[in-house]
Amino acid sequence: MQEHYYELVVKVSSHHELFADFLADTLPIGFEETDNGFIIRSEEELDTIMWGLEQFAEALQKALGKSVEVECTQKKLQNNDWVESYKNSIEPLVIDKFYIHPTWSDNHPNLINIVIDPALAFGTGHHPTTASSLRAISQYVKKDDRVLDVGCGSGILGIAAMKLGAVVDACDTDPVSVENSIKNAKLNNLEFHSIWEGSASNLDEKYTIVVANIVADVLTFIANDLKKVMAEDGVLILSGILDKYEEKVLNAYKDCKITQRIAQDEWVTLVLKREK
């Protein structure tokens, strides 16, 4: 172990999830999510990541037409007990029936435990889109349901459905996400019925529950794929939607009715069923 390490504290003004996706795609190491940003630790200097974050913020600002600020502070610290400090900073989370915690925390005696190590995961339940999706899964998934998780990320939503007794298939276009989902399922002594790198476009299966926690533009683009794999009385859970893009998403799902709308901060999760 080197004598020193580098800690980069990142604060973002908005679009926390988009920055998290950028870091997940860019970093070869794990990172810690905070309420207003991220903490990245490495034995190598993190100047390149700082530059990349600034460039990403500038690109977002141009794309969205509004201010997106990022503040990066890098420190050189003694490489002694930061791992323990990191572990102590991760708080378990209660979301409806679920208790989400890392491997170094004890199980909850009365809730459904989901084990996720943040260093291995892109989604830990702390972001509003993941939390709202978990609330929807808690309400709608039943034993023996067939569930499809599109854009599975860390696998947390599929794992939650399996904990409720569902049979779960999952996919993601990112191979690292598929790998992490498999690892996190094993941490929970679970296994996906099927999981693959790719999309839901060529499936012939029908699912009781289809969940997709992605972003609004992708949800509109893959709308027909998601609706095609829904069972006749199936439920569609859409998340990752900024409230200002809600109508845009709903326009792509006009043949469905809203069963429930779960809003948290500027994010919206929609529970849809087919119109009859």
Side-chain angles (χ1 to χ4, degrees), residues 108-127:
H108 193 289
N110 302 317
L111 296 172
I112 298 171
N113 288 276
I114 298 177
V115 180
I116 297 283
D117 277 347
L120 298 177
F122 304 160
T124 59
H126 289 79
H127 192 273

Side-chain angles (χ1 to χ4, degrees), residues 151-171:
C152 53
S154 69
I156 188 171
L157 303 183
I159 290 165
M162 284 190 273
K163 290 276 186 173
L164 294 170
V167 178
V168 179
D169 291 346
C171 61

Side-chain angles (χ1 to χ4, degrees), residues 256-274:
C256 297
K257 63 179 180 180
I258 301 174
T259 298
Q260 189 174 3
R261 181 183 185 271
I262 306 171
Q264 186 176 341
D265 300 334
E266 58 184 343
W267 299 96
V268 176
T269 294
L270 300 169
V271 182
L272 306 177
K273 288 188 174 181
R274 291 188 187 279

Side-chain angles (χ1 to χ4, degrees), residues 116-248:
I116 297 283
D117 277 347
L120 298 177
F122 304 160
T124 59
H126 289 79
H127 192 273
T129 61
T130 309
S132 297
S133 298
L134 286 168
R135 290 188 183 96
I137 285 169
S138 177
Q139 293 178 55
Y140 291 95
V141 174
K142 304 180 297 299
K143 189 177 185 299
D144 297 326
D145 276 348
R146 291 212 62 196
V147 174
L148 175 64
D149 182 5
V150 178
C152 53
S154 69
I156 188 171
L157 303 183
I159 290 165
M162 284 190 273
K163 290 276 186 173
L164 294 170
V167 178
V168 179
D169 291 346
C171 61
D172 201 297
T173 55
D174 177 11
V176 177
S177 293
V178 173
E179 180 183 341
N180 276 313
S181 292
I182 293 169
K183 285 181 180 178
N184 287 324
K186 287 180 179 176
L187 282 179
N188 290 272
N189 299 311
L190 296 169
E191 188 175 343
F192 288 94
H193 174 260
S194 180
I195 184 168
W196 63 92
E197 178 189 345
S199 68
S201 59
N202 296 318
L203 290 177
D204 294 324
E205 307 289 336
K206 297 292 184 183
Y207 295 90
T208 325
I209 308 283
V210 179
V211 57
N213 178 17
I214 313 179
V215 293
D217 283 342
V218 177
L219 291 175
T220 58
F221 183 73
I222 65 172
N224 289 335
D225 292 339
L226 298 184
K227 289 183 285 187
K228 184 184 75 171
V229 297
M230 287 173 65
E232 187 174 342
D233 294 322
V235 171
L236 182 56
I237 300 170
L238 304 178
S239 194
I241 307 166
L242 282 167
D243 50 16
K244 66 179 181 178
Y245 298 132
E246 182 178 357
E247 285 304 315
K248 179 179 180 180

Side-chain angles (χ1 to χ4, degrees), residues 48-61:
T48 303
I49 294 300
M50 290 174 63
W51 177 84
L53 284 163
E54 289 164 0
Q55 294 298 305
F56 183 70
E58 186 177 324
L60 266 184
Q61 187 166 285

